[in-house]
Amino acid sequence: MQTLRALSICLSLLLVFSASPRLYAQEAVPLTLANPRADNNAREDDKVGPARRVEAMRVEADVSLDGVLDDLAWQQAPFIDQFTQRDPDEGDPATERTTVQVIYDNEAIYIGAQLYDAAPDSIVARLGRRDAYLNADRFIFSVDPYYDRRTGFYFSVNAAGTLSDGVLFNDNWDDDSWDGVWQGKAHIHEQGWSVEMRIPYSQLRFKAEDAYVWGVNFSRYIARRNERVFYVMTPRAESGFVSRFADMVGIEEITPPRQIEVTPYVTGKAAFTDHADGDPFNDGSTYAPDFGADFKVGLTPNLTLNGTVNPDFGQVEVDPAVVNLSDVETFFPEKRPFFIEGASIFNFGMGGSNSNWGFNFGNPDFFYTRRIGRAPQGGLPDHDYADVPDGVPILGAAKLTGKVGDGWNVGTVQAITGRGEADVLFNGEEFAAEVEPLTYYGVVRAQREFDEGFRAIGGMSTTTIRSFGDDDRLVPQLNESAYVGGIDGWTFLDRDRMWVVTGWLGLSQVNGTAERIESLQRSSLHYFQRPDADHVSVDADATSLTGTAGRFMLNKQSGKFYTNAAVGFISPGFELNDAGFMWRTDIINAHAVVGYQWTEPRGIYRRARWNSSHYRSYDFAGNRTALGVWSNGWMQLKNYMFLFVGGELNARNKDIRSTRGGPMMTNPAGYAAFFGFETDNRKKLVWEFEGFQFADEEGNNRRGIDVEAEWRPIPNMTLSVEPGLTFRQGKAQYVGQFEDPFATATFGNRYVFGSIDQTTFSTDIRLNWTFTPEMSLQLFAQPLISAGDYFDFKELATPNTYDFNVFGQDVGTVSFNEESDEYTVDPDGDGEAETFTFGEPDFNFKSLRGTAVLRWEFRPGSTFYLVWTQTRDAFENVGTFQFNDNLGTLVDSKPDNIFVLKLTYWLSR
């Protein structure tokens, strides 16, 4: 019935609208390779000029890869030289000549480019680590070897020799997490500069043919002019990238190799950490050598198996510190290479469209790879001391990705994590306690495209199965099994591929004991215990929980005028957090966005865009939880400065979450505003600034500034500092729930809140120093100070309102005991209600996290790492923000230092 009700409301909202107060950015950005702000939209059939064609020439002689095109093969090979500007003057010829040649042999394809420049002393050659985005002259080769007109690879070399690469997908998008093993060299000379690339066939995927036709494109960026030129250029107001590629012919009599790669590794780890006196498990230092291997096998030319034995899944860069006062889990991005490489195959529900907007609707992530090998979830038994592992061991993992059959893209991940055990000492007895059971994770993804991507249909499933040991203490704490499945797809509505409909539907089921499923129903994702909700209730006898979700979207892909509309739902029982990630359930949401872009220079600007939207959300009982309008715009000035401004208005709505399982409240009407700028990124010193303000009719407000300064003192060094300062005044920060039969107005419980003044300062500091294209040093530090002062403790007076009774003023009394650090509340003074207590909620949290990473790729695919990680944390129950004192306390705190040496060696056949 809930699903039918959701679908009914969805149909009525299909042309109505919804959005999130802070989610005002698109969920995915189209491919640019040269400018992350560019709008690289395009459709397949709307070519610029006549169809382009590139001819590749076979060579027998060896090619000396040094960036100098003086080999005999380059002198004989045909070239192309017709390049068109996309920026700054769309459609004009390139201001500098570029010639590109393609040759090949039995092992690899070679790209040679002469990038002429009338002022070679003005070429911007900045050296950075691999895949670093640098404002430097560069050349990019993009290729679609499978010739499906939607996917491919890109390879880039800048004028200093920095390499970048990645995969292309969904026609418009790119992912730089893939690192191929290939070579590229650059050479600056008196007529400009030149590039040579050697890309082995083992790094590409293509079908065996007698003669090959591949899609290709070439592009160049001239940094001092902000000029981007393409062999096949996509107009800024259009859509599509891979679908427009030129045909490359001439490659014959080669065989897709069976790729076999093995990368063994050895590590040495030394940890020096703070520890409690008398801790038998930690004397302050530990040493841990380790070894293992990753392997990659090409089962077919288009199907690759990645596997790992005793994997090293440590992170090079630590997660940032956060202060989370909400009931929503903090999302951290994946940083482990095994999982991020090729992750785009597991994207679900977003294909076809070149933009996906979210307003108060976070698409569930069906596969959140950080669930595998995460910190143990189980609680500890009674103990005096305990040593809990940072993550559970991954016994093995395998990933299969590629293409099979007639146009099927497939991917699967299979992983097993071992039992996580903590060493425990209690009453003089030492023993091992299980804190995470043996767990299997299985993920399967398949999608088939038709008519060169005109339409597609796909599916995805995840499976999590836990095997509990003899200790049944974890059985009521974790799900025994979880299954999630979904279908997705898209279809264009016209042959010009201007309008597209995309959508997905999902179904979930989790199983466990009655105690576990009851706990899940009461968790912050579901809140089935809400006393005034008639569409959900806690079933104490249930041993499973089932739910559904889905979203459908209409998107206009190209043109100066564009629009996007979507409607989606997540039922109260939908649950995928065993292998995935989601923010909330019990939501029906819709939005519509309209916008216009100015793509030709005029007056003071080069380009500009304006968007406006209307959005709304409901729960499954029909309570409206969001209604508002949002608008923003940006402009690039003639001097290449960016300006942006925006705002939002929210109506008074229902709030079903702030009491954390209690009755509904009212969310006050409010507004938000933001503005900022970015200076010309061609300069040595680049500034970014953003200011924001949120306020509502009840006096809640949040305001702050974020600043970024990036300095490039020399071509191979970049220093960036990103400080941020936020002030928040809240009238109703949740403190706790206390049972009281005399609280009849709020269903026998008192829902206690406090006013809060919170100040947070943080900054990210990064130094990237690159010695050669193969050797670099990265330094990162993040200090964080956050203080929150609670006062005016109160209780919700009446459900479905924003009315409160302040203790000591409106009702009862409140007192603080400094010895116990507790507040005591008598809610009705001389009445019959019993007193209750809660701890001091004031906080002052200080953190410093940092890493230093020396990376040396001493041969292609083989790397040596030296990593130093330091963390410092300090906490006090004090709500005042005193920057100097807080910083001094942080400096005086005892650090944890971890040193890691890692050596990997790439072997290939």
Side-chain angles (χ1 to χ4, degrees):
M1 290 299 294
Q2 291 176 347
T3 302
L4 291 175
R5 181 185 300 177
L7 290 174
S8 175
I9 298 178
C10 284
L11 290 174
S12 67
L13 288 173
L14 187 54
L15 296 178
V16 193
F17 325 98
S18 82
S20 154
R22 287 176 295 276
L23 295 178
Y24 41 72
Q26 297 183 28
E27 294 176 357
V29 179
L31 168 75
T32 67
L33 301 182
N35 177 10
R37 288 186 181 272
D39 319 310
N40 195 15
N41 313 317
R43 72 176 187 268
E44 175 186 1
D45 300 321
D46 186 15
K47 308 291 185 183
V48 176
R52 296 292 177 90
R53 185 181 178 94
V54 179
E55 184 177 348
M57 186 184 80
R58 175 181 281 277
V59 297
E60 302 299 336
D62 291 338
V63 177
S64 175
L65 202 76
D66 54 10
V68 181
L69 305 182
D70 57 359
D71 297 284
L72 180 62
W74 296 123
Q75 298 175 23
Q76 297 175 339
F79 64 85
I80 55 101
D81 64 352
Q82 297 176 337
F83 282 77
T84 305
Q85 287 190 52
R86 187 173 188 269
D87 296 299
D89 300 315
E90 182 181 306
D92 285 358
T95 61
E96 303 286 354
R97 187 180 183 219
T98 302
T99 65
V100 180
Q101 298 166 283
V102 182
I103 60 178
Y104 70 97
D105 58 24
N106 288 331
E107 304 295 330
I109 186 173
Y110 300 81
I111 310 298
Q114 288 281 8
L115 303 112
Y116 296 95
D117 199 309
D121 57 342
S122 298
I123 293 170
V124 181
R126 291 195 171 103
L127 190 60
R129 58 184 173 82
R130 182 166 179 164
D131 287 334
Y133 177 78
L134 303 168
N135 191 60
D137 284 53
R138 62 184 169 274
F139 172 79
I140 304 156
F141 165 54
S142 302
V143 58
D144 170 17
Y146 201 78
Y147 203 61
D148 63 4
R149 317 299 283 176
R150 297 203 39 95
T151 63
F153 303 85
Y154 71 87
F155 305 87
S156 172
V157 182
N158 79 3
T162 299
L163 305 186
S164 301
D165 55 12
V167 297
L168 310 173
F169 65 102
N170 197 36
D171 195 7
N172 292 278
W173 299 346
D174 69 303
D175 177 5
D176 68 359
S177 64
W178 177 78
D179 285 328
V181 180
W182 59 286
Q183 295 168 280
K185 296 292 183 180
H187 173 69
I188 298 177
H189 51 75
E190 66 277 3
Q191 292 182 305
W193 63 292
S194 53
V195 168
E196 280 184 305
M197 298 180 180
R198 181 185 185 274
I199 303 166
Y201 300 132
S202 63
Q203 303 303 298
L204 306 175
R205 289 176 175 171
F206 55 95
K207 296 178 290 188
E209 304 280 359
D210 294 331
Y212 295 88
V213 179
W214 292 355
V216 295
N217 203 353
F218 308 96
S219 58
R220 176 185 180 181
Y221 175 56
I222 304 174
R224 70 180 183 277
R225 296 194 185 110
N226 258 335
E227 182 177 336
R228 295 167 178 85
V229 301
F230 291 81
Y231 184 59
V232 181
M233 188 271 292
T234 300
R236 286 193 294 264
E238 298 300 330
S239 167
F241 183 69
V242 180
S243 58
R244 294 172 176 263
F245 281 7
D247 288 349
M248 184 174 70
V249 299
I251 298 181
E252 300 175 346
E253 298 179 357
I254 66 168
T255 302
R258 183 181 180 187
Q259 180 185 17
I260 300 178
E261 300 177 8
V262 180
T263 309
Y265 79 87
V266 293
T267 64
K269 179 179 179 180
F272 305 94
T273 58
D274 189 21
H275 62 287
D277 294 336
D279 188 343
F281 307 117
N282 185 2
D283 64 1
S285 61
T286 58
Y287 307 91
D290 207 352
F291 64 92
D294 299 334
F295 63 86
K296 181 181 293 186
V297 178
L299 302 181
T300 72
N302 305 301
L303 198 61
T304 302
L305 174 66
N306 294 68
T308 183
V309 178
N310 190 30
D312 173 36
F313 281 158
Q315 293 183 189
V316 170
E317 186 174 297
V318 296
D319 291 321
V322 296
V323 176
N324 186 350
L325 301 180
S326 74
D327 61 345
V328 179
E329 177 185 3
T330 300
F331 179 90
F332 292 110
E334 180 62 82
K335 300 177 182 179
R336 299 170 294 179
F338 178 85
F339 288 117
I340 62 176
E341 183 175 328
S344 60
I345 188 67
F346 298 101
N347 288 342
F348 180 78
M350 296 194 299
S353 174
N354 63 6
S355 65
N356 291 272
W357 296 75
F359 293 89
N360 272 348
F361 190 92
N363 260 337
D365 191 342
F366 274 48
F367 182 33
Y368 181 41
T369 53
R370 292 195 60 154
R371 300 297 188 204
I372 301 176
R374 61 178 166 183
Q377 305 171 79
L380 287 167
D382 292 337
H383 62 279
D384 299 315
Y385 296 95
D387 182 24
V388 181
D390 295 330
V392 297
I394 301 176
L395 303 181
K399 177 169 57 178
L400 184 68
T401 58
K403 295 176 179 289
V404 297
D406 185 16
W408 283 96
N409 299 299
V410 297
T412 181
V413 171
Q414 307 290 317
I416 297 178
T417 58
R419 300 188 190 282
E421 292 188 335
D423 295 321
V424 176
L425 178 68
F426 182 59
N427 288 338
E429 180 183 356
E430 188 174 322
F431 58 95
E434 185 174 317
V435 288
E436 183 80 18
L438 181 74
T439 306
Y440 161 77
Y441 297 91
V443 182
V444 177
R445 173 68 162 136
Q447 187 176 74
R448 185 183 180 187
E449 298 179 4
F450 303 88
D451 300 333
E452 295 186 344
F454 189 85
R455 61 179 60 87
I457 188 169
M460 186 169 181
S461 69
T462 66
T463 301
T464 307
I465 300 175
R466 297 184 174 89
S467 175
F468 298 99
D470 296 333
D471 184 358
D472 61 359
R473 189 174 44 83
L474 297 183
V475 173
Q477 299 182 38
L478 302 171
N479 301 327
E480 292 178 2
S481 60
Y483 306 94
V484 180
I487 58 173
D488 67 341
W490 72 81
T491 183
F492 285 90
L493 302 180
D494 60 310
R495 299 313 302 181
D496 289 335
R497 304 194 183 202
M498 180 176 292
W499 294 88
V500 63
V501 173
T502 70
W504 63 269
L505 289 169
L507 174 68
S508 69
Q509 182 181 53
V510 295
N511 304 292
T513 64
E515 183 178 356
R516 168 56 190 165
I517 298 302
E518 180 180 354
S519 175
L520 187 62
Q521 293 175 78
R522 295 178 178 273
S523 69
S524 60
L525 263 179
H526 304 288
Y527 288 145
F528 278 19
Q529 70 273 31
R530 283 177 283 157
D532 54 351
D534 59 5
H535 64 295
V536 291
S537 61
V538 174
D539 183 351
D541 298 321
T543 56
S544 66
L545 183 66
T546 303
T548 56
R551 196 170 191 234
F552 302 92
M553 182 174 61
L554 173 68
N555 190 63
K556 184 175 182 287
Q557 300 280 91
S558 58
K560 293 186 176 182
F561 169 78
Y562 55 90
T563 185
N564 177 279
V567 58
F569 70 94
I570 304 175
S571 76
F574 191 69
E575 171 65 52
L576 52 64
N577 272 353
D578 288 88
F581 187 98
M582 60 190 301
W583 286 266
R584 62 179 60 186
T585 62
D586 196 5
I587 183 172
I588 302 167
N589 168 272
H591 76 254
V593 181
V594 295
Y596 191 85
Q597 54 185 333
W598 294 264
T599 59
E600 294 85 19
R602 183 180 302 172
I604 63 171
Y605 66 84
R606 292 185 179 275
R607 291 186 293 141
R609 171 180 283 197
W610 190 266
N611 314 290
S612 294
S613 69
H614 174 60
Y615 61 87
R616 60 179 64 202
S617 299
Y618 297 85
D619 69 5
F620 271 59
N623 298 300
R624 194 187 71 206
T625 57
L627 172 64
V629 293
W630 168 88
S631 189
N632 92 311
W634 58 259
M635 176 187 299
Q636 184 188 45
L637 304 180
K638 288 290 184 66
N639 63 359
Y640 292 101
M641 174 180 281
F642 268 95
L643 305 176
F644 64 90
V645 65
E648 181 177 21
L649 294 174
N650 296 294
R652 179 177 281 254
N653 295 295
K654 305 301 182 183
D655 179 356
I656 63 173
R657 305 187 62 84
S658 288
T659 57
R660 305 196 181 185
M664 185 163 49
M665 293 172 48
T666 294
N667 199 15
Y671 75 90
F674 57 93
F675 66 95
F677 66 84
E678 177 185 339
T679 62
D680 183 353
N681 65 1
R682 298 173 299 171
K683 306 297 184 182
K684 284 189 175 182
L685 181 61
V686 180
W687 290 90
E688 292 186 36
F689 172 87
E690 180 177 0
F692 57 90
Q693 164 80 40
F694 165 80
D696 67 27
E697 59 186 350
E698 295 291 346
N700 296 285
N701 70 83
R702 183 175 180 268
R703 62 193 185 279
I705 58 171
D706 292 305
V707 180
E708 178 180 357
E710 182 177 270
W711 181 42
R712 306 154 183 160
I714 54 178
N716 63 332
M717 181 183 292
T718 301
L719 174 65
S720 66
V721 182
E722 304 175 39
L725 182 63
T726 302
F727 303 95
R728 173 183 170 233
Q729 286 79 44
K731 299 299 183 180
Q733 177 61 51
Y734 183 79
V735 172
Q737 172 186 337
F738 303 91
E739 186 176 355
D740 187 341
F742 294 99
T744 56
T746 50
F747 303 94
N749 286 283
R750 299 188 184 275
Y751 297 92
V752 177
F753 297 82
S755 296
I756 184 174
D757 284 344
Q758 182 181 359
T759 303
T760 301
F761 169 81
S762 68
T763 186
D764 289 351
I765 304 170
R766 296 179 187 271
L767 174 66
N768 293 319
W769 190 2
T770 306
F771 310 110
T772 71
E774 296 79 27
M775 180 179 287
S776 64
L777 175 66
Q778 298 169 254
L779 303 178
F780 169 75
Q782 188 218 35
L784 169 71
I785 303 173
S786 185
D789 179 26
Y790 286 77
F791 59 97
D792 284 350
F793 296 102
K794 64 200 75 173
E795 65 178 359
L796 179 65
T798 307
N800 203 21
T801 70
Y802 201 76
D803 297 334
F804 300 92
N805 296 321
V806 179
F807 298 124
Q809 298 179 24
D810 302 323
V811 295
T813 61
V814 59
S815 60
F816 180 68
N817 187 318
E818 294 186 1
E819 292 185 4
S820 63
D821 216 24
E822 289 182 334
Y823 284 92
T824 299
V825 175
D826 184 345
D828 62 354
D830 296 331
E832 300 180 73
E834 295 185 0
T835 62
F836 60 87
T837 62
F838 55 87
E840 169 66 88
D842 286 358
F843 63 88
N844 191 305
F845 175 72
K846 284 85 64 175
S847 170
L848 175 62
R849 302 190 177 192
T851 58
V853 181
L854 177 66
R855 181 185 185 274
W856 175 34
E857 187 174 1
F858 56 90
R859 63 188 299 268
S862 303
T863 309
F864 170 78
Y865 295 92
L866 174 60
V867 183
W868 170 36
T869 300
Q870 183 180 104
T871 60
R872 296 170 182 259
D873 296 297
F875 180 84
E876 299 173 278
N877 280 121
V878 178
T880 55
F881 183 92
Q882 301 286 343
F883 183 81
N884 291 336
D885 292 344
N886 294 156
L887 191 61
T889 302
L890 182 60
V891 171
D892 293 339
S893 63
K894 293 182 178 180
D896 291 343
N897 289 294
I898 299 175
F899 299 90
V900 177
L901 290 169
K902 181 178 180 180
L903 177 68
T904 68
Y905 196 86
W906 180 73
L907 302 169
S908 177
R909 183 182 74 81

